[in-house]
mmCIF file of all heavy atoms in Angstrom:
data_model
loop_
_atom_site.group_PDB
_atom_site.id
_atom_site.type_symbol
_atom_site.label_atom_id
_atom_site.label_comp_id
_atom_site.label_asym_id
_atom_site.label_seq_id
_atom_site.Cartn_x
_atom_site.Cartn_y
_atom_site.Cartn_z
ATOM 1 N N GLU B 255 2.252 7.166 1.270
ATOM 2 C CA GLU B 255 2.037 7.071 2.711
ATOM 3 C C GLU B 255 2.464 8.350 3.425
ATOM 4 O O GLU B 255 1.790 8.790 4.355
ATOM 5 C CB GLU B 255 2.763 5.852 3.278
ATOM 6 C CG GLU B 255 2.091 4.555 2.912
ATOM 7 C CD GLU B 255 2.840 3.337 3.405
ATOM 8 O OE1 GLU B 255 4.052 3.442 3.696
ATOM 9 O OE2 GLU B 255 2.208 2.280 3.505
ATOM 10 N N GLU B 256 3.576 8.945 2.981
ATOM 11 C CA GLU B 256 4.002 10.221 3.557
ATOM 12 C C GLU B 256 2.955 11.311 3.296
ATOM 13 O O GLU B 256 2.659 12.121 4.168
ATOM 14 C CB GLU B 256 5.351 10.644 2.974
ATOM 15 C CG GLU B 256 6.504 9.793 3.437
ATOM 16 C CD GLU B 256 7.787 10.072 2.673
ATOM 17 O OE1 GLU B 256 7.812 11.011 1.832
ATOM 18 O OE2 GLU B 256 8.768 9.339 2.894
ATOM 19 N N ARG B 257 2.396 11.304 2.099
ATOM 20 C CA ARG B 257 1.376 12.294 1.739
ATOM 21 C C ARG B 257 0.110 12.093 2.564
ATOM 22 O O ARG B 257 -0.483 13.048 3.057
ATOM 23 C CB ARG B 257 1.044 12.193 0.250
ATOM 24 C CG ARG B 257 0.129 13.272 -0.271
ATOM 25 C CD ARG B 257 -0.038 13.166 -1.774
ATOM 26 N NE ARG B 257 -0.750 11.973 -2.171
ATOM 27 C CZ ARG B 257 -2.081 11.885 -2.248
ATOM 28 N NH1 ARG B 257 -2.830 12.908 -1.933
ATOM 29 N NH2 ARG B 257 -2.650 10.761 -2.633
ATOM 30 N N PHE B 258 -0.300 10.841 2.747
ATOM 31 C CA PHE B 258 -1.484 10.555 3.554
ATOM 32 C C PHE B 258 -1.303 11.083 4.973
ATOM 33 O O PHE B 258 -2.212 11.666 5.555
ATOM 34 C CB PHE B 258 -1.774 9.051 3.616
ATOM 35 C CG PHE B 258 -2.110 8.416 2.288
ATOM 36 C CD1 PHE B 258 -1.982 7.046 2.118
ATOM 37 C CD2 PHE B 258 -2.549 9.166 1.209
ATOM 38 C CE1 PHE B 258 -2.291 6.437 0.918
ATOM 39 C CE2 PHE B 258 -2.849 8.569 -0.002
ATOM 40 C CZ PHE B 258 -2.721 7.200 -0.150
ATOM 41 N N GLU B 259 -0.107 10.846 5.530
ATOM 42 C CA GLU B 259 0.159 11.295 6.898
ATOM 43 C C GLU B 259 0.223 12.824 6.968
ATOM 44 O O GLU B 259 -0.339 13.432 7.883
ATOM 45 C CB GLU B 259 1.472 10.695 7.394
ATOM 46 C CG GLU B 259 1.752 10.982 8.839
ATOM 47 C CD GLU B 259 2.989 10.250 9.345
ATOM 48 O OE1 GLU B 259 3.339 9.193 8.800
ATOM 49 O OE2 GLU B 259 3.581 10.761 10.292
ATOM 50 N N LYS B 260 0.886 13.432 5.997
ATOM 51 C CA LYS B 260 1.053 14.886 5.992
ATOM 52 C C LYS B 260 -0.280 15.613 5.939
ATOM 53 O O LYS B 260 -0.489 16.607 6.633
ATOM 54 C CB LYS B 260 1.916 15.299 4.795
ATOM 55 C CG LYS B 260 2.126 16.789 4.671
ATOM 56 C CD LYS B 260 2.976 17.119 3.463
ATOM 57 C CE LYS B 260 3.144 18.614 3.303
ATOM 58 N NZ LYS B 260 3.931 18.949 2.107
ATOM 59 N N PHE B 261 -1.206 15.118 5.115
ATOM 60 C CA PHE B 261 -2.481 15.800 4.927
ATOM 61 C C PHE B 261 -3.606 15.235 5.791
ATOM 62 O O PHE B 261 -4.746 15.669 5.680
ATOM 63 C CB PHE B 261 -2.886 15.784 3.452
ATOM 64 C CG PHE B 261 -1.962 16.589 2.580
ATOM 65 C CD1 PHE B 261 -1.106 15.963 1.689
ATOM 66 C CD2 PHE B 261 -1.919 17.967 2.685
ATOM 67 C CE1 PHE B 261 -0.250 16.699 0.897
ATOM 68 C CE2 PHE B 261 -1.070 18.717 1.893
ATOM 69 C CZ PHE B 261 -0.224 18.077 1.001
ATOM 70 N N GLY B 262 -3.302 14.252 6.625
ATOM 71 C CA GLY B 262 -4.288 13.731 7.556
ATOM 72 C C GLY B 262 -5.344 12.844 6.930
ATOM 73 O O GLY B 262 -6.489 12.853 7.360
ATOM 74 N N PHE B 263 -4.958 12.075 5.912
ATOM 75 C CA PHE B 263 -5.903 11.161 5.265
ATOM 76 C C PHE B 263 -5.909 9.832 6.017
ATOM 77 O O PHE B 263 -5.345 8.846 5.578
ATOM 78 C CB PHE B 263 -5.534 10.934 3.798
ATOM 79 C CG PHE B 263 -5.561 12.164 2.929
ATOM 80 C CD1 PHE B 263 -4.826 12.200 1.765
ATOM 81 C CD2 PHE B 263 -6.324 13.268 3.259
ATOM 82 C CE1 PHE B 263 -4.850 13.320 0.939
ATOM 83 C CE2 PHE B 263 -6.354 14.389 2.447
ATOM 84 C CZ PHE B 263 -5.616 14.417 1.280
ATOM 85 N N GLN B 264 -6.571 9.813 7.177
ATOM 86 C CA GLN B 264 -6.566 8.605 8.006
ATOM 87 C C GLN B 264 -7.219 7.422 7.297
ATOM 88 O O GLN B 264 -6.752 6.287 7.420
ATOM 89 C CB GLN B 264 -7.271 8.859 9.340
ATOM 90 C CG GLN B 264 -6.511 9.734 10.291
ATOM 91 C CD GLN B 264 -6.806 11.202 10.076
ATOM 92 O OE1 GLN B 264 -7.703 11.576 9.330
ATOM 93 N NE2 GLN B 264 -6.034 12.060 10.715
ATOM 94 N N ARG B 265 -8.300 7.668 6.575
ATOM 95 C CA ARG B 265 -8.982 6.567 5.895
ATOM 96 C C ARG B 265 -8.060 5.919 4.864
ATOM 97 O O ARG B 265 -7.981 4.702 4.765
ATOM 98 C CB ARG B 265 -10.252 7.066 5.211
ATOM 99 C CG ARG B 265 -11.013 5.963 4.513
ATOM 100 C CD ARG B 265 -12.339 6.415 3.989
ATOM 101 N NE ARG B 265 -13.028 5.309 3.336
ATOM 102 C CZ ARG B 265 -14.186 5.426 2.754
ATOM 103 N NH1 ARG B 265 -14.819 6.583 2.759
ATOM 104 N NH2 ARG B 265 -14.734 4.385 2.170
ATOM 105 N N LYS B 266 -7.338 6.734 4.108
ATOM 106 C CA LYS B 266 -6.420 6.192 3.114
ATOM 107 C C LYS B 266 -5.262 5.462 3.789
ATOM 108 O O LYS B 266 -4.793 4.445 3.278
ATOM 109 C CB LYS B 266 -5.900 7.291 2.198
ATOM 110 C CG LYS B 266 -6.958 7.783 1.234
ATOM 111 C CD LYS B 266 -6.387 8.714 0.194
ATOM 112 C CE LYS B 266 -7.484 9.108 -0.772
ATOM 113 N NZ LYS B 266 -6.969 9.595 -2.036
ATOM 114 N N GLN B 267 -4.807 5.955 4.938
ATOM 115 C CA GLN B 267 -3.750 5.264 5.674
ATOM 116 C C GLN B 267 -4.208 3.875 6.096
ATOM 117 O O GLN B 267 -3.487 2.894 5.935
ATOM 118 C CB GLN B 267 -3.337 6.056 6.909
ATOM 119 C CG GLN B 267 -2.447 7.233 6.633
ATOM 120 C CD GLN B 267 -2.085 7.972 7.901
ATOM 121 O OE1 GLN B 267 -2.948 8.263 8.722
ATOM 122 N NE2 GLN B 267 -0.819 8.278 8.064
ATOM 123 N N LYS B 268 -5.424 3.794 6.624
ATOM 124 C CA LYS B 268 -5.957 2.502 7.066
ATOM 125 C C LYS B 268 -6.135 1.560 5.884
ATOM 126 O O LYS B 268 -5.783 0.377 5.956
ATOM 127 C CB LYS B 268 -7.291 2.691 7.781
ATOM 128 C CG LYS B 268 -7.161 3.339 9.131
ATOM 129 C CD LYS B 268 -8.515 3.562 9.765
ATOM 130 C CE LYS B 268 -8.389 4.349 11.061
ATOM 131 N NZ LYS B 268 -9.698 4.667 11.637
ATOM 132 N N GLU B 269 -6.680 2.075 4.782
ATOM 133 C CA GLU B 269 -6.911 1.228 3.618
ATOM 134 C C GLU B 269 -5.601 0.764 2.989
ATOM 135 O O GLU B 269 -5.509 -0.374 2.516
ATOM 136 C CB GLU B 269 -7.766 1.962 2.592
ATOM 137 C CG GLU B 269 -9.203 2.120 3.027
ATOM 138 C CD GLU B 269 -10.057 2.839 2.006
ATOM 139 O OE1 GLU B 269 -9.539 3.269 0.951
ATOM 140 O OE2 GLU B 269 -11.268 2.977 2.264
ATOM 141 N N SER B 270 -4.579 1.614 2.981
ATOM 142 C CA SER B 270 -3.293 1.191 2.420
ATOM 143 C C SER B 270 -2.662 0.106 3.290
ATOM 144 O O SER B 270 -2.086 -0.850 2.764
ATOM 145 C CB SER B 270 -2.350 2.381 2.254
ATOM 146 O OG SER B 270 -1.965 2.922 3.490
ATOM 147 N N SER B 271 -2.789 0.226 4.599
ATOM 148 C CA SER B 271 -2.278 -0.817 5.496
ATOM 149 C C SER B 271 -3.021 -2.126 5.284
ATOM 150 O O SER B 271 -2.420 -3.202 5.266
ATOM 151 C CB SER B 271 -2.412 -0.384 6.954
ATOM 152 O OG SER B 271 -1.611 0.721 7.213
ATOM 153 N N LEU B 272 -4.327 -2.035 5.114
ATOM 154 C CA LEU B 272 -5.134 -3.226 4.867
ATOM 155 C C LEU B 272 -4.767 -3.872 3.531
ATOM 156 O O LEU B 272 -4.625 -5.099 3.441
ATOM 157 C CB LEU B 272 -6.620 -2.857 4.902
ATOM 158 C CG LEU B 272 -7.617 -3.987 4.833
ATOM 159 C CD1 LEU B 272 -7.474 -4.894 6.051
ATOM 160 C CD2 LEU B 272 -9.025 -3.441 4.755
ATOM 161 N N ALA B 273 -4.584 -3.057 2.492
ATOM 162 C CA ALA B 273 -4.203 -3.583 1.183
ATOM 163 C C ALA B 273 -2.845 -4.267 1.252
ATOM 164 O O ALA B 273 -2.650 -5.338 0.663
ATOM 165 C CB ALA B 273 -4.191 -2.468 0.142
ATOM 166 N N ARG B 274 -1.903 -3.669 1.987
ATOM 167 C CA ARG B 274 -0.590 -4.299 2.162
ATOM 168 C C ARG B 274 -0.713 -5.636 2.893
ATOM 169 O O ARG B 274 -0.054 -6.614 2.535
ATOM 170 C CB ARG B 274 0.346 -3.387 2.952
ATOM 171 C CG ARG B 274 0.980 -2.308 2.134
ATOM 172 C CD ARG B 274 1.972 -1.538 3.032
ATOM 173 N NE ARG B 274 2.562 -0.449 2.326
ATOM 174 C CZ ARG B 274 3.770 -0.499 1.764
ATOM 175 N NH1 ARG B 274 4.473 -1.580 1.830
ATOM 176 N NH2 ARG B 274 4.242 0.541 1.136
ATOM 177 N N ALA B 275 -1.545 -5.684 3.918
ATOM 178 C CA ALA B 275 -1.731 -6.935 4.667
ATOM 179 C C ALA B 275 -2.329 -8.012 3.769
ATOM 180 O O ALA B 275 -1.858 -9.158 3.769
ATOM 181 C CB ALA B 275 -2.623 -6.694 5.881
ATOM 182 N N TYR B 276 -3.347 -7.655 2.994
ATOM 183 C CA TYR B 276 -3.941 -8.616 2.064
ATOM 184 C C TYR B 276 -2.921 -9.083 1.022
ATOM 185 O O TYR B 276 -2.871 -10.258 0.664
ATOM 186 C CB TYR B 276 -5.146 -8.019 1.351
ATOM 187 C CG TYR B 276 -6.387 -7.882 2.194
ATOM 188 C CD1 TYR B 276 -7.359 -6.928 1.893
ATOM 189 C CD2 TYR B 276 -6.621 -8.687 3.302
ATOM 190 C CE1 TYR B 276 -8.508 -6.792 2.649
ATOM 191 C CE2 TYR B 276 -7.755 -8.555 4.070
ATOM 192 C CZ TYR B 276 -8.693 -7.613 3.736
ATOM 193 O OH TYR B 276 -9.828 -7.482 4.486
ATOM 194 N N GLY B 277 -2.102 -8.161 0.536
ATOM 195 C CA GLY B 277 -1.070 -8.526 -0.435
ATOM 196 C C GLY B 277 -0.052 -9.478 0.163
ATOM 197 O O GLY B 277 0.323 -10.473 -0.458
ATOM 198 N N PHE B 278 0.383 -9.181 1.380
ATOM 199 C CA PHE B 278 1.352 -10.046 2.046
ATOM 200 C C PHE B 278 0.769 -11.438 2.268
ATOM 201 O O PHE B 278 1.423 -12.446 2.002
ATOM 202 C CB PHE B 278 1.787 -9.429 3.381
ATOM 203 C CG PHE B 278 2.790 -10.250 4.116
ATOM 204 C CD1 PHE B 278 4.110 -10.270 3.713
ATOM 205 C CD2 PHE B 278 2.419 -11.023 5.204
ATOM 206 C CE1 PHE B 278 5.053 -11.040 4.386
ATOM 207 C CE2 PHE B 278 3.342 -11.787 5.881
ATOM 208 C CZ PHE B 278 4.669 -11.800 5.463
ATOM 209 N N ILE B 279 -0.472 -11.501 2.732
ATOM 210 C CA ILE B 279 -1.129 -12.798 2.955
ATOM 211 C C ILE B 279 -1.270 -13.560 1.644
ATOM 212 O O ILE B 279 -1.062 -14.776 1.600
ATOM 213 C CB ILE B 279 -2.492 -12.597 3.656
ATOM 214 C CG1 ILE B 279 -2.271 -12.111 5.090
ATOM 215 C CG2 ILE B 279 -3.323 -13.871 3.633
ATOM 216 C CD1 ILE B 279 -3.528 -11.622 5.793
ATOM 217 N N SER B 280 -1.609 -12.865 0.582
ATOM 218 C CA SER B 280 -1.750 -13.519 -0.727
ATOM 219 C C SER B 280 -0.433 -14.123 -1.182
ATOM 220 O O SER B 280 -0.393 -15.265 -1.650
ATOM 221 C CB SER B 280 -2.244 -12.520 -1.770
ATOM 222 O OG SER B 280 -3.514 -12.057 -1.437
ATOM 223 N N TYR B 281 0.658 -13.337 -1.068
ATOM 224 C CA TYR B 281 1.964 -13.870 -1.458
ATOM 225 C C TYR B 281 2.356 -15.051 -0.577
ATOM 226 O O TYR B 281 2.939 -16.030 -1.065
ATOM 227 C CB TYR B 281 3.044 -12.791 -1.393
ATOM 228 C CG TYR B 281 3.016 -11.853 -2.569
ATOM 229 C CD1 TYR B 281 2.805 -10.492 -2.391
ATOM 230 C CD2 TYR B 281 3.205 -12.310 -3.865
ATOM 231 C CE1 TYR B 281 2.776 -9.622 -3.466
ATOM 232 C CE2 TYR B 281 3.179 -11.456 -4.951
ATOM 233 C CZ TYR B 281 2.972 -10.110 -4.743
ATOM 234 O OH TYR B 281 2.949 -9.258 -5.813
ATOM 235 N N LEU B 282 2.050 -14.991 0.691
ATOM 236 C CA LEU B 282 2.342 -16.093 1.595
ATOM 237 C C LEU B 282 1.572 -17.346 1.192
ATOM 238 O O LEU B 282 2.135 -18.443 1.133
ATOM 239 C CB LEU B 282 2.022 -15.690 3.039
ATOM 240 C CG LEU B 282 2.331 -16.713 4.120
ATOM 241 C CD1 LEU B 282 3.830 -16.974 4.191
ATOM 242 C CD2 LEU B 282 1.817 -16.213 5.459
ATOM 243 N N MET B 283 0.285 -17.189 0.896
ATOM 244 C CA MET B 283 -0.537 -18.336 0.494
ATOM 245 C C MET B 283 -0.056 -18.930 -0.829
ATOM 246 O O MET B 283 -0.007 -20.154 -0.979
ATOM 247 C CB MET B 283 -2.007 -17.930 0.389
ATOM 248 C CG MET B 283 -2.639 -17.526 1.706
ATOM 249 S SD MET B 283 -2.540 -18.817 2.960
ATOM 250 C CE MET B 283 -3.596 -20.045 2.240
ATOM 251 N N ILE B 284 0.304 -18.092 -1.777
ATOM 252 C CA ILE B 284 0.823 -18.584 -3.059
ATOM 253 C C ILE B 284 2.104 -19.370 -2.834
ATOM 254 O O ILE B 284 2.294 -20.442 -3.416
ATOM 255 C CB ILE B 284 1.043 -17.415 -4.037
ATOM 256 C CG1 ILE B 284 -0.309 -16.851 -4.482
ATOM 257 C CG2 ILE B 284 1.874 -17.850 -5.249
ATOM 258 C CD1 ILE B 284 -0.214 -15.537 -5.240
ATOM 259 N N THR B 285 2.975 -18.861 -1.966
ATOM 260 C CA THR B 285 4.226 -19.559 -1.664
ATOM 261 C C THR B 285 3.956 -20.910 -1.015
ATOM 262 O O THR B 285 4.564 -21.923 -1.388
ATOM 263 C CB THR B 285 5.105 -18.689 -0.734
ATOM 264 O OG1 THR B 285 5.335 -17.435 -1.360
ATOM 265 C CG2 THR B 285 6.414 -19.373 -0.422
ATOM 266 N N ILE B 286 3.045 -20.958 -0.071
ATOM 267 C CA ILE B 286 2.699 -22.218 0.596
ATOM 268 C C ILE B 286 2.125 -23.213 -0.405
ATOM 269 O O ILE B 286 2.473 -24.399 -0.388
ATOM 270 C CB ILE B 286 1.726 -21.963 1.764
ATOM 271 C CG1 ILE B 286 2.449 -21.228 2.892
ATOM 272 C CG2 ILE B 286 1.103 -23.267 2.266
ATOM 273 C CD1 ILE B 286 1.541 -20.723 3.990
ATOM 274 N N ILE B 287 1.256 -22.751 -1.288
ATOM 275 C CA ILE B 287 0.664 -23.642 -2.291
ATOM 276 C C ILE B 287 1.731 -24.183 -3.232
ATOM 277 O O ILE B 287 1.758 -25.389 -3.520
ATOM 278 C CB ILE B 287 -0.447 -22.907 -3.075
ATOM 279 C CG1 ILE B 287 -1.645 -22.669 -2.167
ATOM 280 C CG2 ILE B 287 -0.855 -23.683 -4.312
ATOM 281 C CD1 ILE B 287 -2.681 -21.728 -2.740
ATOM 282 N N ILE B 288 2.626 -23.332 -3.690
ATOM 283 C CA ILE B 288 3.686 -23.790 -4.590
ATOM 284 C C ILE B 288 4.602 -24.789 -3.901
ATOM 285 O O ILE B 288 4.936 -25.834 -4.476
ATOM 286 C CB ILE B 288 4.492 -22.586 -5.138
ATOM 287 C CG1 ILE B 288 3.621 -21.777 -6.109
ATOM 288 C CG2 ILE B 288 5.780 -23.033 -5.806
ATOM 289 C CD1 ILE B 288 4.223 -20.475 -6.565
ATOM 290 N N ILE B 289 4.980 -24.504 -2.656
ATOM 291 C CA ILE B 289 5.849 -25.429 -1.918
ATOM 292 C C ILE B 289 5.137 -26.757 -1.696
ATOM 293 O O ILE B 289 5.721 -27.833 -1.852
ATOM 294 C CB ILE B 289 6.285 -24.805 -0.578
ATOM 295 C CG1 ILE B 289 7.289 -23.678 -0.836
ATOM 296 C CG2 ILE B 289 6.889 -25.853 0.359
ATOM 297 C CD1 ILE B 289 7.653 -22.867 0.374
#
Side-chain angles (χ1 to χ4, degrees):
E255 287 177 340
E256 290 170 5
R257 187 175 67 87
F258 297 160
E259 186 174 334
K260 179 180 178 182
F261 294 109
F263 298 157
Q264 288 88 9
R265 181 173 180 182
K266 288 189 177 200
Q267 283 180 313
K268 289 177 186 175
E269 289 180 358
S270 67
S271 295
L272 187 63
R274 279 184 183 261
Y276 286 155
F278 181 76
I279 291 169
S280 297
Y281 282 119
L282 183 64
M283 295 303 293
I284 290 169
T285 303
I286 290 170
I287 290 169
I288 290 172
I289 288 172

